[in-house]
């Protein structure tokens, strides 16, 4: 009987490493993901392990009430998602979008940027989805564009 009880706990403990695990320390930067009121999943490239989803997903802006805010928190969704990233050259971040249309088809896209974050800096990655196309822009804390390159969906 104990084995039946412990098995689900072991599975839950193992799932914790499926999401991106932000680094700690001084050699990190912060990136805040936002969107044009589109629900999507931010990801960070972990070399050798692929793109990993952040703990929270980007949600549409809530339209009212504490109950809805509590529900979004429970579902780990927020209009802004902030995470730490390593301040190393050629860091890759991205966003995945996947929505079912009324006719049961899927609207999907993935977009990734590569840049050289500076330790202690704050960045804003803004995802847009319009007319079946998606894009990702990156700015610094002052709102100035960051030298980032659109890259293929690869995490070396």
């Amino acid at each position: 009987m104990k084995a039946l009880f412990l098995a689900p706990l072991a599975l839950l403990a193992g799932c914790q490493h499926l999401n991106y695990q932000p680094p700690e320390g001084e050699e990190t930067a912060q990136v805040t993901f936002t969107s044009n009121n589109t629900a999507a999943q931010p990801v960070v490239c972990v070399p050798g392990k692929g793109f990993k989803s952040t703990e929270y997903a980007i949600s549409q802006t809530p339209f009212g009430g504490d109950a809805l805010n509590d529900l979004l928190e429970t579902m780990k969704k927020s209009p802004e998602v902030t995470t730490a990233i390593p301040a190393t050259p050629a860091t890759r971040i991205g966003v995945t979008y996947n929505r079912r249309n009324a006719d049961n088809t899927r609207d999907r896209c993935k977009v990734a940027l590569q840049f050289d974050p500076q330790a202690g800096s704050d960045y804003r990655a803004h995802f847009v989805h319009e007319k079946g196309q998606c894009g990702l822009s990156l700015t610094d804390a002052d709102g100035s564009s960051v030298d980032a390159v659109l890259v293929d969906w690869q995490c070396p």
Side-chain angles (χ1 to χ4, degrees):
M1 189 67 151
K2 280 185 182 178
L4 290 176
F5 177 72
L6 295 176
L9 291 177
L11 287 174
L12 286 174
C15 290
Q16 291 177 351
H17 297 290
L18 296 177
N19 285 339
Y20 174 66
Q21 300 296 310
E24 296 178 5
E26 294 180 14
E27 293 301 311
T28 62
Q30 295 257 346
V31 62
T32 299
F33 292 88
T34 60
S35 75
N36 62 336
N37 206 27
T38 302
Q41 179 62 61
V43 295
V44 178
C45 174
V46 177
K49 296 185 180 179
F51 282 102
K52 297 293 183 181
S53 298
T54 57
E55 180 180 7
Y56 279 76
I58 303 170
S59 70
Q60 292 178 311
T61 304
F63 50 87
D66 289 337
L68 184 57
N69 290 335
D70 291 344
L71 177 62
L72 288 174
E73 178 66 29
T74 300
M75 294 172 43
K76 296 200 176 271
K77 296 179 184 273
S78 176
E80 291 189 349
V81 175
T82 301
T83 192
I85 57 172
T88 57
T91 294
R92 291 185 180 200
I93 60 171
V95 174
T96 63
Y97 173 81
N98 185 359
R99 183 187 72 153
R100 183 182 308 267
N101 295 319
D103 63 358
N104 263 355
T105 60
R106 288 258 184 223
D107 188 0
R108 299 176 184 172
C109 66
K110 297 177 180 179
V111 60
L113 295 176
Q114 177 176 297
F115 72 112
D116 298 334
Q118 302 299 311
S121 294
D122 292 317
Y123 300 94
R124 291 188 71 80
H126 186 72
F127 173 73
V128 293
H129 181 267
E130 294 176 357
K131 299 178 184 173
Q133 300 290 317
C134 61
L136 189 61
S137 61
L138 190 65
T139 58
D140 62 19
D142 297 330
S144 300
S145 291
V146 172
D147 187 17
V149 178
L150 188 62
V151 292
D152 291 334
W153 194 260
Q154 296 178 348
C155 179

